[in-house]
């Protein structure tokens, strides 16, 4: 988008122009029915010690629904990233400064990035319509993803089928792709993406992975051997209500859309709703919190559907949940303070083809952030072990 000669959309704007731009942004958002994040900033704070971490955790209680941790307070060695609404910036920055918490502005205006994202989506959608194709380098709506799944099943019916495992709170279908070469109740791998609805890159990862499976079967030796003896289940949209809401109303919505009588705030963090470690590390009992765990384990239909399916299957050997933002490998169990017995084995898949597996530098789990697997996982800071010969195989990396 170009501005007037000698001006533009940056620092050259006068204060009057900036105010007009802010007003226009709100008017446009209101017309489209979408929540506007103009002026919202993402601040990065590096706590020096546990006392400062505690001050950051207190901030969420002081500002419920106002401070949105993208990377929560975990330990002094890890940065804390949080979104702060424009209306709260002065108070939050004053709080940080008063307590000696140094911060930097990581994102100056979130709405600028969201506008760029939406513009890129619109451009990609126009191209797709003109070429009758599906872009794997763009984000898509729930309807577009479900339509793509139908087409994938039709084109590759010899290896992939679609299963409906339940319905969401708002009665949307919860769909799973099954990749199989035959047989029943075979050992299986489960993969889900998008349990946190705003993490759009995870849905794109699930789509790309599904396409990669059908394209590489019969060509890639490792994948072909896996499917000869095992099935793969992929749930691309684990939170359909929340995901639809991120497209229609609030791009940064994270939870599902359940509402209960007498509860003012809407939604449960589905990734805190599992029975394992329910109510433990990284979860919240405040319905207004982004990490609200729900009233009881498996209270949410989206979680119950997965639990019922996996339990009924009875032969799931591996479960992989894809999240975004925090750049962590996480594995069970986040509600415990002891390393699991097979910790070394769990770290093996993280090794690169050239440098070998990763080993754990610290086995002490920490509180998970609101953008990571959370109550079902503990985080570690991996370090490389000794190199080993390069190994060939299928790589989970978009091309």
């Amino acid at each position: 988008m170009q501005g007037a000669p000698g001006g533009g959309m940056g620092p050259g704007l006068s204060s009057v122009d900036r105010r007009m731009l802010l007003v226009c942004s709100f008017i446009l958002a209101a017309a489209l029915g979408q929540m506007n994040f103009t002026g919202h900033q993402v601040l990065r704070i590096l706590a020096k010690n546990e006392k400062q971490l505690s001050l950051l955790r207190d901030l969420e209680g002081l500002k419920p629904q106002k401070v949105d941790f993208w990377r929560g307070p975990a330990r002094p060695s890890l940065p804390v990233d949080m979104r702060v609404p424009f209306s709260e910036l002065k108070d939050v920055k004053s709080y940080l400064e008063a307590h000696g918490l140094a911060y930097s502005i990581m994102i100056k205006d979130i709405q600028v990035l969201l506008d760029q994202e939406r513009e890129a989506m619109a451009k990609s959608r126009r191209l797709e319509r003109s070429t009758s194709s599906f872009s794997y380098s763009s984000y898509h709506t729930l309807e577009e993803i479900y339509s793509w799944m139908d087409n994938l099943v039709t084109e590759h019916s010899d290896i992939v089928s679609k299963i409906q495992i339940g319905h969401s709170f708002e009665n949307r279908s919860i769909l799973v792709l099954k990749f199989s070469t035959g047989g029943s109740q075979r050992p299986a791998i489960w993969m889900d993406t998008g349990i946190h609805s705003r993490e759009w890159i995870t849905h794109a990862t699930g789509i790309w992975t599904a396409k990669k499976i059908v394209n590489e079967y019969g060509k890639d030796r490792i994948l072909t051997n896996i499917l000869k003896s095992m099935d793969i289940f992929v749930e691309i949209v684990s939170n359909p209500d929340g995901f639809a809401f991120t497209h229609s109303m609030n791009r940064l919505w994270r939870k599902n859309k359940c509402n209960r009588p007498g509860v003012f705030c809407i939604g449960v963090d589905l990734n805190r709703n599992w029975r394992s470690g329910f109510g433990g590390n990284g979860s919240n009992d405040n319905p207004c919190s982004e990490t609200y765990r729900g009233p009881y384990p498996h209270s949410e239909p989206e979680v119950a559907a997965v639990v019922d399916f996996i339990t009924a299957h009875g032969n799931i050997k591996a479960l992989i949940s894809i999240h975004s933002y925090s750049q962590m490998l996480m594995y069970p169990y986040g509600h415990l303070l002891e390393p699991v017995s097979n910790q070394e084995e769990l770290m093996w898949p993280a090794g690169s083809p050239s440098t070998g597996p990763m080993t754990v530098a610290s086995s002490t789990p920490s509180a998970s952030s609101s953008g990571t697997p959370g109550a079902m996982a503990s985080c570690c800071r991996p370090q490389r072990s000794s190199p080993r010969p390069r190994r060939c195989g299928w790589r989970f990396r978009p091309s």
Side-chain angles (χ1 to χ4, degrees):
M1 182 174 181
Q2 295 180 342
M9 298 293 288
L13 289 173
S14 69
S15 59
V16 175
D17 290 334
R18 288 195 184 95
R19 285 195 294 270
M20 286 300 297
L21 182 60
L22 187 65
V23 171
C24 290
S25 296
F26 279 119
I27 293 174
L28 179 61
L32 296 174
Q34 296 162 352
M35 186 170 178
N36 189 281
F37 295 92
T38 298
H40 290 222
Q41 294 185 351
V42 176
L43 306 181
R44 168 161 287 185
I45 307 102
L46 188 60
K48 297 177 182 178
N49 49 50
E50 288 295 331
K51 181 180 178 180
Q52 290 194 338
L53 282 178
S54 180
L55 288 168
L56 288 172
R57 295 187 186 107
D58 291 343
L59 191 57
E60 183 178 21
L62 293 171
K63 295 285 185 180
Q65 293 184 283
K66 299 298 183 182
V67 175
D68 177 14
F69 283 109
W70 287 9
R71 191 199 303 263
R75 55 183 173 219
S77 60
L78 297 176
V80 175
D81 300 336
M82 62 181 180
R83 175 179 63 87
V84 183
F86 178 76
S87 61
E88 299 293 328
L89 276 174
K90 184 178 179 180
D91 286 349
V92 170
K93 288 180 179 179
S94 295
Y95 176 90
L96 297 175
E97 292 164 2
H99 291 90
L101 289 158
Y103 66 87
S104 59
I105 299 175
M106 187 175 170
I107 301 176
K108 189 173 184 180
D109 191 335
I110 290 177
Q111 190 61 45
V112 172
L113 300 182
L114 299 185
D115 289 343
Q116 293 173 355
E117 178 184 71
R118 189 165 294 278
E119 184 179 343
M121 288 177 63
K123 182 178 180 180
S124 176
R125 189 171 287 115
R126 289 193 296 270
L127 180 62
E128 289 180 8
R129 288 172 180 169
S130 65
T131 59
S132 299
S133 61
F134 184 91
S135 173
Y136 290 89
S137 60
S138 179
Y139 294 130
H140 296 273
T141 65
L142 178 69
E143 293 76 16
E144 290 168 344
I145 292 175
Y146 278 5
S147 176
W148 173 85
M149 291 171 67
D150 289 337
N151 291 335
L152 185 75
V153 171
T154 299
E155 295 170 5
H156 302 277
S157 57
D158 58 323
I159 189 176
V160 59
S161 58
K162 184 180 72 175
I163 305 171
Q164 179 172 307
I165 65 170
H167 289 87
S168 67
F169 181 84
E170 295 180 338
N171 205 36
R172 290 182 172 88
S173 297
I174 301 174
L175 304 177
V176 173
L177 293 175
K178 177 184 179 180
F179 300 87
S180 179
T181 56
S184 61
Q185 301 304 102
R186 299 198 304 172
I189 299 168
W190 171 277
M191 172 180 169
D192 62 67
T193 62
I195 196 168
H196 290 145
S197 52
R198 66 189 181 190
E199 297 174 12
W200 285 6
I201 191 63
T202 67
H203 306 90
T205 301
I207 291 170
W208 178 87
T209 302
K211 183 65 172 177
K212 190 73 171 177
I213 292 173
V214 298
N215 283 348
E216 295 299 316
Y217 175 70
K219 301 174 185 177
D220 182 272
R221 178 177 57 83
I222 293 178
L223 173 65
T224 303
N225 287 340
I226 288 174
L227 283 176
K228 283 181 179 178
S229 58
M230 301 184 73
D231 296 336
I232 300 175
F233 295 98
V234 180
E235 182 186 28
I236 295 176
V237 187
S238 303
N239 181 2
D241 296 346
F243 184 58
F245 194 63
T246 61
H247 283 273
S248 66
M249 185 64 69
N250 183 347
R251 172 63 182 88
L252 300 182
W253 187 261
R254 185 169 179 273
K255 302 185 285 185
N256 74 347
K257 288 301 303 302
C258 78
N259 60 78
R260 290 180 169 84
V263 179
F264 174 75
C265 294
I266 293 174
V268 167
D269 180 349
L270 298 179
N271 203 46
R272 307 300 196 271
N273 193 237
W274 308 104
R275 187 180 306 282
S276 178
F278 180 78
N281 190 24
S283 69
N284 200 306
D285 61 0
N286 181 353
C288 295
S289 169
E290 292 286 1
T291 55
Y292 175 51
R293 66 196 182 212
Y296 54 87
H298 307 168
S299 61
E300 306 311 297
E302 298 88 351
V303 171
V306 174
V307 171
D308 291 345
F309 178 83
I310 291 178
T311 302
H313 185 281
N315 205 11
I316 302 292
K317 299 300 183 182
L319 190 151
I320 304 168
S321 186
I322 306 297
H323 292 248
S324 68
Y325 191 79
S326 289
Q327 311 303 316
M328 294 180 181
L329 170 68
M330 306 177 78
Y331 54 84
Y333 298 92
H335 62 283
L336 302 177
L337 295 179
E338 300 82 21
V340 291
S341 59
N342 61 334
Q343 180 170 288
E344 184 176 350
E345 177 187 1
L346 288 169
M347 289 303 298
W348 270 92
S352 73
S354 58
T355 62
M358 292 171 125
T359 55
V360 178
S362 172
S363 60
T364 304
S366 60
S368 21
S369 76
S370 58
T372 54
M376 292 282 291
S378 63
C379 76
C380 56
R381 296 297 301 276
Q383 62 184 17
R384 297 292 179 188
S385 66
S386 57
R388 64 189 176 111
R390 184 179 182 87
R391 62 179 185 268
C392 299
W394 198 46
R395 302 180 188 179
F396 288 84
R397 182 180 62 196
S399 55

